[in-house]
Amino acid sequence: MSEESERLAKALIEFREAEGISVMELACRTQLSRATIRFHEDGEGLPASLTARCFEEVLGWAPGSIPTGARGTTDLELPPDSGTVTG
């Protein structure tokens, strides 16, 4: 667990406890899945940009204050087509 992911995990858990809300309610407030909330509360990694923005909004943190994880591919990238016949 990195220092940044641990900081986020602690902040999310403390926020839920202070608000007296469940993971389900936090998921509704952030418009993220319960699995995403649990993943980050467990400190399993840094969020993607959109997820970080949702967390920043609900926590009242400044935009860009949560570091984001690097992604190897995007939804728009397609793997090379190995079945293409040329010639």
Side-chain angles (χ1 to χ4, degrees):
M1 178 182 315
S2 74
E3 185 177 318
E4 292 90 2
S5 61
E6 187 175 342
R7 175 179 162 253
L8 176 59
K10 183 178 177 181
L12 291 171
I13 292 166
E14 287 177 354
F15 175 81
R16 279 197 317 101
E17 290 174 350
E19 293 285 311
I21 62 172
S22 65
V23 170
M24 173 71 99
E25 178 60 27
L26 183 56
C28 290
R29 289 188 189 187
T30 58
Q31 297 183 347
L32 299 169
S33 70
R34 288 178 296 183
T36 297
I37 303 298
R38 286 281 187 214
F39 181 83
H40 292 293
E41 282 191 353
D42 288 344
E44 296 296 328
L46 296 174
S49 297
L50 179 61
T51 303
R53 278 187 245 129
C54 293
F55 287 149
E56 289 163 350
E57 286 179 22
V58 78
L59 294 170
W61 292 5
S65 60
I66 297 175
T68 58
R71 294 249 164 147
T73 60
T74 67
D75 292 336
L76 300 177
E77 292 179 31
L78 298 175
D81 185 6
S82 60
T84 302
V85 177
T86 59

